[in-house]
Amino acid sequence: MQKSAPPADATLEQQLLEAVQSDIESVRAAAEHLIAAGGKRARPRFAFLIGELLGVDPAVAAAVGAAAELVHTATLLHDDVLDGSDRRRGRPAVHATFGIRNAILTGDFLLARAIEHLTARGLFQATHELTRAVRELVEAELLQQELAWNAAITQAQARRVAEGKTGALFAWCARGLAVEGKLDAAGIASADALGRDVGFAFQIADDLLDIHAGGGDKPTRADLRAGHVTFPVRLACDRDAELEAAIRTAFASRREADFEAACAAVERSPAVALARTELEQARKRFSDAVRAAGASSELAGRMEGFFDAEISRQR
């Protein structure tokens, strides 16, 4: 198996800044505003680990990781407009600084640059897989809107939203590298499942932050107040009929007192404990898959460390 070193942070940041250059000053400034704010860069780090696991050329893993971060950044620009969020990564959101039209168009620009970043390196199969991942991501966002203000959504629906919103792009990092590494169909499917588990767990950890801790620029209970029943809350509703009734009342009335009552019901519910069980199961699947793929003990430890670092936000 080919061994590769993790990407140097400075190298990745330089690649991202080069990718967002444009002759249109307003687009360049808006894109640089968010890129320069930093972030966890979880997707590029995951891509390098998966590339090492699959024995893929580190340059290919770097291209996939950078493209994933560009797509992720594009979704943040669009999400902040849709959600009316005025801050991102400790800074004013792009739309708050440069305007809504500029933010939306800059997001479109970053999507185009992600595709260009891949095709310029001849990674056409990974590009094809990326278009499918973006479709899944958008469909998940649309499904979430379709299900908004519905307290009776199913676990399957809530899981599809979580997997599509976040799991799709992590899954693409693994699947894109698998197809470029010429793995067989079974290997590609295994890589996809591994990435999807990481993305799903990442989303659940974020959902847990919303339940009781708040997270960065995201106020506590923002999802519930926006009419969204997240996967952890849905798990709890299936154990606690009074919780679903409280949420249904809040969704119907949109009154602050009813939202406060629903938030208190969530706090009393088993949502956090149930979600943590889901995270433990996802972690075991991830660990088992990494070791089944033939990772050395050292690489398996680093990959498990990556998983734990992301999930430790709510451990």
Side-chain angles (χ1 to χ4, degrees), residues 102-190:
N102 201 331
I104 292 172
L105 292 172
T106 299
D108 295 342
F109 168 77
L110 292 178
L111 287 172
R113 287 295 282 153
I115 293 171
E116 185 178 4
H117 192 75
L118 294 170
T119 56
R121 291 158 177 76
L123 304 177
F124 301 111
Q125 289 179 297
T127 304
H128 174 68
E129 295 295 336
L130 179 59
T131 62
R132 294 172 56 192
V134 171
R135 182 203 68 198
E136 182 182 354
L137 191 158
V138 172
E139 286 178 339
E141 290 285 356
L142 289 169
L143 177 61
Q144 184 179 54
Q145 292 306 310
E146 216 174 80
L147 296 170
W149 307 108
N150 177 4
I153 73 170
T154 66
Q155 278 191 35
Q157 289 170 325
R159 179 180 284 273
R160 183 181 174 188
V161 168
E163 287 187 346
K165 283 177 56 177
T166 308
L169 201 49
F170 277 98
W172 170 72
C173 287
R175 189 172 66 248
L177 288 170
V179 297
E180 292 295 343
K182 310 302 182 187
L183 271 67
D184 60 18
I188 293 170
S190 295

Side-chain angles (χ1 to χ4, degrees), residues 67-267:
E69 190 67 15
L70 289 170
V71 171
H72 174 58
T73 304
T75 66
L76 296 182
L77 290 170
H78 290 162
D79 285 351
D80 285 344
V81 171
L82 292 171
D83 298 340
S85 301
D86 290 332
R87 297 192 67 80
R88 171 67 66 178
R89 295 173 177 168
R91 290 185 170 192
V94 169
H95 71 86
T97 303
F98 299 92
I100 290 176
R101 287 177 61 85
N102 201 331
I104 292 172
L105 292 172
T106 299
D108 295 342
F109 168 77
L110 292 178
L111 287 172
R113 287 295 282 153
I115 293 171
E116 185 178 4
H117 192 75
L118 294 170
T119 56
R121 291 158 177 76
L123 304 177
F124 301 111
Q125 289 179 297
T127 304
H128 174 68
E129 295 295 336
L130 179 59
T131 62
R132 294 172 56 192
V134 171
R135 182 203 68 198
E136 182 182 354
L137 191 158
V138 172
E139 286 178 339
E141 290 285 356
L142 289 169
L143 177 61
Q144 184 179 54
Q145 292 306 310
E146 216 174 80
L147 296 170
W149 307 108
N150 177 4
I153 73 170
T154 66
Q155 278 191 35
Q157 289 170 325
R159 179 180 284 273
R160 183 181 174 188
V161 168
E163 287 187 346
K165 283 177 56 177
T166 308
L169 201 49
F170 277 98
W172 170 72
C173 287
R175 189 172 66 248
L177 288 170
V179 297
E180 292 295 343
K182 310 302 182 187
L183 271 67
D184 60 18
I188 293 170
S190 295
D192 180 279
L194 190 153
R196 200 165 293 273
D197 265 339
V198 171
F200 176 67
F202 196 95
Q203 182 60 51
I204 297 309
D206 195 58
D207 292 341
L208 282 174
L209 286 173
D210 184 71
I211 288 175
H212 67 72
D217 303 317
K218 182 179 180 180
T220 305
R221 310 284 164 63
D223 289 321
L224 193 64
R225 293 176 185 279
H228 303 313
V229 176
T230 60
F231 186 72
V233 173
R234 180 63 256 171
L235 288 178
C237 284
D238 287 345
R239 302 284 188 91
D240 184 349
E242 291 184 4
L243 171 60
E244 183 172 325
I247 293 173
R248 185 182 297 111
T249 297
F251 283 2
S253 73
R254 315 282 175 96
R255 293 187 308 183
E256 181 58 26
D258 290 331
F259 274 114
E260 287 296 329
C263 289
V266 170
E267 191 70 34

